[in-house]
């Protein structure tokens, strides 16, 4: 068990694309375990591998609702609703910054478990939002990229301060 170092906005690793996980071994299990520990330590509800400096397609989420704890390896969105909703998001890699993001309300995701088995799940509401936010990290996308121009402008200074810290 270990608490991993969370990479903060301005760190280039957060803008890189990730590679598929091909080896499902003890090392992966340990990493996933440590990602959960790290997420709980910082009171997050989701964490993606690039946030701890690892460029692999690995996401952990736990909204703390029953049956909403998942490990998603190599996840892919196979369906998304046309209906969108908007909610204020934050990110462990962008501390102190929040902004309203529009996203599809419901999704279906295919992924693999930590042991490599196929998994398909339907998610809506907070869980769907959390999964989409974390999956964005796998492509170097951050929630601030989705903000309206006006909102991004008001956050510019806070982001600048994080990036040079
Ligand atoms: Zn995030």
């Amino acid at each position: 068990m270990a608490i991993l170092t969370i990479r903060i906005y301005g760190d280039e690793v957060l803008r890189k694309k990730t590679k598929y996980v091909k080896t499902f071994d003890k090392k992966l299990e340990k990493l996933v375990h440590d990602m959960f520990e790290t997420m709980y330590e910082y009171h997050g509800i989701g964490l993606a591998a690039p946030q701890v400096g690892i460029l692999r397609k690995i996401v952990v989420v736990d909204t703390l609702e029953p049956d909403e704890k998942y490990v998603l390896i190599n996840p892919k969105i196979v369906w998304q609703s046309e209906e969108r909703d908007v909610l204020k998001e934050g990110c462990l890699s962008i501390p102190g910054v929040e902004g309203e993001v529009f996203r599809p309300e419901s999704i279906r995701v295919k992924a693999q478990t930590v042991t490599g088995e196929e998994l398909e799940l339907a998610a809506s509401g907070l869980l769907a939002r959390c999964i989409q936010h974390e999956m964005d990290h796998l492509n170097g996308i951050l929630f601030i990229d989705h903000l309206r121009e006006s909102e991004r402008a008001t956050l510019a200074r806070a982001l600048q301060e994080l990036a040079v810290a």
Side-chain angles (χ1 to χ4, degrees):
M1 286 200 298
I3 305 296
L4 307 170
T5 302
I6 293 190
R7 303 301 186 94
I8 301 299
Y9 180 79
D11 190 322
E12 276 191 6
V13 79
L14 294 171
R15 290 304 194 181
K16 301 228 162 102
K17 293 204 172 166
T18 49
K19 292 188 170 148
Y20 286 94
V21 172
K22 287 179 180 151
T23 310
F24 295 83
D25 56 6
K26 287 269 172 241
K27 208 175 139 199
L28 177 68
E29 256 174 59
K30 183 180 186 317
L31 172 62
V32 163
H33 190 90
D34 289 347
M35 284 175 65
F36 272 116
E37 291 284 307
T38 305
M39 179 181 83
Y40 293 133
E41 174 74 15
Y42 293 100
H43 309 289
I45 59 170
L47 193 69
Q51 292 182 275
V52 292
I54 291 169
L55 291 171
R56 293 281 167 185
K57 296 188 187 297
I58 305 167
V59 161
V60 299
V61 295
D62 186 355
T63 67
L64 304 180
E65 293 294 325
D67 302 318
E68 293 199 353
K69 177 178 176 179
Y70 288 100
V71 178
L72 302 172
I73 310 286
N74 303 327
K76 200 168 109 187
I77 290 176
V78 293
W79 176 83
Q80 60 184 44
S81 64
E82 273 175 35
E83 190 192 346
R84 293 172 164 252
D85 64 9
V86 62
L87 199 76
K88 213 164 237 193
E89 291 187 16
C91 179
L92 293 180
S93 293
I94 317 178
V97 174
E98 286 187 330
E100 289 191 333
V101 181
F102 284 85
R103 295 188 189 273
E105 200 274 333
S106 306
I107 54 171
R108 286 195 74 83
V109 180
K110 277 188 180 173
Q112 284 169 280
T113 68
V114 73
T115 50
E117 278 143 69
E118 302 285 328
L119 165 80
E120 185 165 346
L121 76 121
S124 59
L126 185 61
L127 178 62
R129 175 168 295 272
C130 182
I131 290 171
Q132 292 175 81
H133 174 120
E134 300 313 329
M135 285 182 65
D136 272 353
H137 277 298
L138 304 181
N139 290 310
I141 297 167
L142 303 172
F143 82 89
I144 51 172
D145 303 341
H146 296 295
L147 299 180
R148 286 175 292 242
E149 201 65 46
S150 58
E151 195 169 11
R152 201 171 337 169
T154 66
L155 296 174
R157 177 184 289 213
L159 290 172
Q160 182 69 25
E161 280 170 7
L162 278 177
V164 298

